[in-house]
Amino acid sequence: FNRDQVLRINAESEDHIQILKDSINIILRFLDFWTHGFSTERPIDIRVPHTSLSAVKDFLKKNNVPFTVMINNVQELLDRETAEMVSNAKMERSTKSFNFAAYHDLETLYSFMDTLVASHPNLITKVHIGNSYENRPMYALKFSTGGVSRPAIWVDAGIHSREWVTQASAAWIANQIASNYGVDPSVTSLLGQMDIYLMIVTNPDGYVFTHTDNRMWRKTRSVNSGSSCRGVDPNRNWDAGFGGPGASKDPCSESYHGPYANSEVEVKNVVDLIMGHGNFKSFISIHSYSQLLMYPYGYTCTDIPDKSELHSVGTAAIKELTSLYNTIYQVGSICKIIYQASGGSIDWTYNIGIKYSFAFELRDTGYYGFLLPANQIIPTAEETWLGLKYIMEYVRNHPY
Amino acid sequence: MKTFCSVWLLLSVVELSPAPPASQEPPLACRGAADPAPPQPETAEDMASTGDLEPTHYPARRAAQVALHYLNTHHGSPFRVFGLQQVHKASAEDVEAGGRKYKLDFSVTDWASGSAGPALRCSADVLFPRTERHSAPDVKLRCEALQQINRTAQEEEAFYQKHITPDSAVSARDIPDSYGNMSEEMQPFWRLARVAASFIMLRESSENTEFNMAQVASVTQQESSEEQLMLEFVVLLHDLPSQEIVQWKLLASWSPDRGVRVLQTEWQPRCPHATKPPN
């Protein structure tokens, strides 16, 4: 089909039709009619082999039959279409062949994100919220069916890099949301009204470090001036009770709060996005391990005004989670159920008015701890999704 | 401190053991990782930790974990490690001579058989002393039907016979590995490490700590002595409240008859911020 063209003939008169009809036997031998039936109402498309092009064009010109070149090069078009099909199939295979039951490095997770976005271009966009300390891009996946600054739900995973089941679960959940849209009525209705921002790797520098150097690394990788110890605990660095009890001022500590609130660019990037957007209704941070669903506060054990509501939302969410594999979770405020901790993300988000602020601690309860076997990723993601979905549906049903 | 660190490093390098030299290089030391944080002082936000306690909140849970460590030191084996299933009831009271005593009613399961296994009901008194220097909590524990749980005598005997032979020289690192993989063959060694680590976790526990074993960094079989399997472990412990990873080297013995005994423990400091071990 190389250099074949498709000509569109606009037969304007009966004469033209007659000419074409008369030549039909000859023409039919050489030409490939793409449309059938001759009339003056509709155009006639014919594919003309390259070798016959000049002859056909001359014939039409000589008989004053107007035509236009519809397709300049049939092969080119075919090639492009094939390429697109191959690419689509590859992408589908990639998201279908992405092994959710395995732990992946940063590059693979980032490429998964691109694949997911490419196969759901009308639903998902990749938002570059800024760069990490070591200049790695930080990406959030935005699930949106339109609107302008719709009320939104934020979910982040992997702020503590050693909590590998969280990044892995978030990848599965991203895929789940994408597949469920248009299929699951609840997800479809949710996305009809609200946007979801999902950040799979919230601490990319730390995540890379857990692969290259130290599987147990928790913090960012920022340089602390005056110390040979690096990193700040990104979940002690938020502006809520910053520097108070439950965080360390020792740069070598795993819970070092940093020199000041939002000193960590990873935290600042999220803060800027949340503030800039201005319409988040829920903020959910995913950690491991301990099997807990928690609400604010961490920096103080005083109850929040919305304690009753958040506790019952949490309890109901956990009921959904447990229904799948019987995994037992506890519900409570951070300060009471796990430990007092200042400078935490969901305390800050709650204090700026994002009422439905929650933190998950996923599987397990200490047997494998951070080193959860890969064969538990999908069951963990599946049950967590049920809990998450409950919270999201509740947020959708309780606008404020 | 710097001298201590360099000398210690030097010693580690020249240590005589069948383990490959690379394993002696302190994997986490001198990466500027944190000291094990000293127990955080109780804050002004001290929870009402006397009287009846909420069973799902951390004060009751921490005390129950201490009772669990005690249970494992006495009844753990290469084929049995107990985990906390649920705290049913808990209360605490301050006692004379300082200290706080927790009374607990809780259930445990054998982790080896997963959540499918039967739950054992236990009650315990856990006393955390309040002394200048840290001292180990005191535990009194009663579990129902302990004797009746599935004996693992056969597996224990087979495992023992396999490794008590003079040419057994087990040596492995990173159990489980970064991906949570643990071979079938390594599972009993992991459990032994977990039981041995329970001695340390029990001893180091306070109301401000909550320990788990994060990973077995290495296991190196030593020459058997007195018909005991002798194993040198390096374990990484994770303390939940401080989020610190604490490294300990220990020498443990085991046989089906005598159970697990811990002969030596050595806290492994992280250079360059080595500080004195907790004890």
Side-chain angles (χ1 to χ4, degrees):
Chain A
F1 298 120
N2 205 13
R3 289 185 288 163
D4 292 357
Q5 291 185 349
V6 172
L7 306 180
R8 171 159 288 181
I9 295 165
N10 296 284
E12 286 168 350
S13 67
E14 286 301 327
D15 283 349
H16 288 162
I17 305 278
Q18 200 52 51
I19 290 164
L20 287 169
K21 275 189 179 166
D22 288 346
S23 336
I24 215 88
N25 285 332
I26 311 160
I27 290 170
L28 275 177
R29 275 216 301 274
F30 296 108
L31 305 180
D32 174 13
F33 279 78
W34 281 19
T35 54
H36 294 272
F38 297 119
S39 84
T40 52
E41 311 290 315
R42 289 181 345 230
I44 304 154
D45 293 341
I46 40 176
R47 179 184 62 82
V48 183
H50 172 69
T51 42
S52 316
L53 260 177
S54 27
V56 171
K57 282 180 178 174
D58 283 347
F59 172 80
L60 293 171
K61 280 185 207 152
K62 222 194 260 175
N63 288 280
N64 290 318
V65 182
F67 66 90
T68 48
V69 178
M70 287 294 295
I71 297 171
N72 206 340
N73 188 331
V74 176
Q75 189 58 42
E76 236 180 53
L77 179 66
L78 284 178
D79 287 346
R80 259 187 288 135
E81 274 184 354
T82 312
E84 207 180 294
M85 262 171 33
V86 167
S87 161
N88 279 338
K90 206 156 80 161
M91 283 194 289
E92 249 208 40
R93 278 202 311 273
S94 309
T95 44
K96 281 198 180 120
S97 72
F98 179 83
N99 188 2
F100 293 103
Y103 293 111
H104 299 288
D105 63 17
L106 188 71
E107 194 187 321
T108 311
L109 284 180
Y110 275 17
S111 125
F112 162 76
M113 286 184 220
D114 286 336
T115 303
L116 195 67
V117 169
S119 36
H120 298 90
N122 296 324
L123 181 64
I124 316 177
T125 45
K126 193 172 78 171
V127 182
H128 182 195
I129 78 167
N131 288 348
S132 68
Y133 180 84
E134 291 174 336
N135 241 349
R136 294 183 173 89
M138 291 176 65
Y139 297 122
L141 294 178
K142 177 184 174 188
F143 296 78
S144 178
T145 60
V148 178
S149 238
R150 278 185 180 167
I153 298 170
W154 169 274
V155 180
D156 68 71
I159 198 171
H160 290 136
S161 36
R162 62 190 180 196
E163 299 167 7
W164 278 18
V165 73
T166 68
Q167 300 95 335
S169 295
W172 185 93
I173 288 169
N175 188 61
Q176 188 66 203
I177 298 174
S179 325
N180 274 1
Y181 178 69
V183 175
D184 176 304
S186 180
V187 171
T188 308
S189 109
L190 177 80
L191 286 169
Q193 301 166 239
M194 306 185 75
D195 294 342
I196 298 173
Y197 285 73
L198 176 55
M199 185 142 209
I200 297 178
V201 189
T202 311
N203 178 4
D205 296 349
Y207 193 59
V208 170
F209 201 69
T210 59
H211 285 268
T212 58
D213 281 69
N214 181 353
R215 175 62 177 83
M216 296 295 170
W217 191 261
R218 164 185 171 86
K219 303 188 286 181
T220 62
R221 289 293 299 161
S222 55
V223 168
N224 292 312
S225 82
S227 172
S228 57
C229 293
R230 286 176 76 147
V232 165
D233 184 338
N235 207 28
R236 301 288 184 277
N237 189 243
W238 300 68
D239 196 3
F242 177 83
S248 173
K249 55 181 180 294
D250 178 2
C252 297
S253 166
E254 295 281 24
S255 57
Y256 173 49
H257 49 55
Y260 50 87
N262 301 333
S263 63
E264 301 312 283
V265 66
E266 291 83 357
V267 170
K268 181 90 176 34
N269 288 337
V270 178
V271 167
D272 287 347
L273 180 125
I274 302 281
M275 297 296 279
H277 184 281
N279 205 19
F280 276 93
K281 297 301 179 190
S282 176
F283 184 97
I284 301 165
S285 191
I286 305 186
H287 297 254
S288 77
Y289 59 90
S290 285
Q291 293 174 203
L292 306 169
L293 176 51
M294 302 175 290
Y295 46 83
Y297 288 123
Y299 72 90
T300 171
C301 286
T302 309
D303 285 341
I304 50 172
D306 300 293
K307 181 238 160 99
S308 227
E309 186 187 2
L310 293 200
H311 192 92
S312 57
V313 173
T315 304
I318 253 42
K319 191 152 164 255
E320 296 304 309
L321 185 155
T322 303
S323 72
L324 197 55
Y325 296 112
N326 228 26
T327 308
I328 308 286
Y329 268 60
Q330 311 293 347
V331 182
S333 76
I334 296 172
C335 187
K336 292 185 176 166
I337 214 167
I338 195 173
Y339 42 56
Q340 187 175 17
S342 58
S345 62
I346 74 168
D347 286 358
W348 176 77
T349 56
Y350 182 80
N351 279 349
I352 61 158
I354 301 176
K355 180 160 59 148
Y356 300 113
S357 293
F358 290 94
F360 277 85
E361 291 275 2
L362 304 187
R363 292 193 193 183
D364 59 14
T365 53
Y367 188 82
Y368 286 101
F370 299 121
L371 307 182
L372 197 70
N375 63 15
Q376 288 198 44
I377 295 174
I378 294 184
T380 302
E382 288 174 326
E383 66 193 11
T384 305
W385 169 236
L386 294 184
L388 206 53
K389 199 154 78 109
Y390 180 89
I391 297 175
M392 292 190 186
E393 287 162 358
Y394 187 92
V395 174
R396 174 198 66 206
N397 296 337
H398 295 81
Y400 62 96
Chain B
M1 270 309 121
K2 269 208 172 126
T3 338
F4 166 79
C5 227
S6 344
V7 168
W8 180 83
L9 279 176
L10 194 65
L11 284 176
S12 320
V13 168
V14 301
E15 185 166 315
L16 304 162
S17 93
S23 73
Q24 291 314 307
E25 184 201 346
L28 294 164
C30 298
R31 286 174 189 271
D35 302 326
Q40 307 255 350
E42 280 299 293
T43 67
E45 295 281 358
D46 192 5
M47 290 173 53
S49 289
T50 52
D52 284 337
L53 303 177
E54 185 59 53
T56 59
H57 290 181
Y58 73 74
R61 194 180 60 239
R62 286 181 196 174
Q65 298 282 23
V66 170
L68 251 301
H69 295 319
Y70 180 90
L71 176 62
N72 280 322
T73 60
H74 281 74
H75 294 276
S77 82
F79 295 91
R80 172 156 293 124
V81 175
F82 290 102
L84 179 66
Q85 192 206 48
Q86 207 190 354
V87 178
H88 303 292
K89 272 170 55 171
S91 66
E93 57 177 359
D94 289 330
V95 297
E96 346 84 40
R100 186 174 285 158
K101 181 153 79 165
Y102 290 72
K103 281 176 139 48
L104 306 159
D105 171 13
F106 58 102
S107 291
V108 306
T109 53
D110 177 2
W111 260 344
S113 45
S115 49
L120 276 186
R121 194 67 172 245
C122 299
S123 64
D125 290 350
V126 177
L127 170 64
F128 291 105
R130 300 271 176 85
T131 50
E132 266 293 308
R133 277 184 70 216
H134 171 83
S135 47
D138 179 78
V139 180
K140 294 189 182 11
L141 175 73
R142 298 159 291 279
C143 288
E144 63 176 26
L146 204 50
Q147 344 56 266
Q148 288 165 31
I149 47 177
N150 265 339
R151 279 309 317 275
T152 51
Q154 260 186 319
E155 294 127 301
E156 289 181 24
E157 191 59 36
F159 176 74
Y160 176 75
Q161 290 304 333
K162 182 171 180 193
H163 294 289
I164 201 68
T165 65
D167 38 291
S168 173
V170 174
S171 176
R173 299 179 53 80
D174 296 341
I175 310 151
D177 65 15
S178 288
Y179 303 84
N181 298 322
M182 181 162 34
S183 69
E184 192 82 34
E185 212 219 326
M186 279 297 126
Q187 299 220 11
F189 291 100
W190 182 91
R191 289 186 207 113
L192 269 177
R194 181 59 172 77
V195 173
S198 300
F199 284 82
I200 301 175
M201 294 191 283
L202 173 62
R203 192 183 67 200
E204 301 300 318
S205 287
S206 74
E207 288 168 283
N208 301 315
T209 61
E210 195 169 340
F211 286 110
N212 273 302
M213 185 176 79
Q215 188 182 39
V216 178
S218 68
V219 53
T220 317
Q221 185 169 9
Q222 310 293 304
E223 200 178 303
S224 303
S225 155
E226 294 174 23
E227 297 177 342
Q228 304 296 304
L229 278 191
M230 300 291 284
L231 296 161
E232 182 196 84
F233 292 109
V234 176
V235 296
L236 301 180
L237 305 181
H238 172 235
D239 172 44
L240 205 57
S242 67
Q243 290 293 346
E244 298 297 334
I245 302 285
V246 191
Q247 189 167 307
W248 285 86
K249 180 150 85 170
L250 60 108
L251 182 64
S253 71
W254 175 77
S255 70
D257 298 328
R258 269 215 250 161
V260 178
R261 302 219 177 151
V262 172
L263 310 166
Q264 283 169 40
T265 65
E266 182 192 311
W267 175 73
Q268 308 216 296
R270 318 278 203 76
C271 303
H273 291 264
T275 57
K276 273 171 39 186
N279 280 333

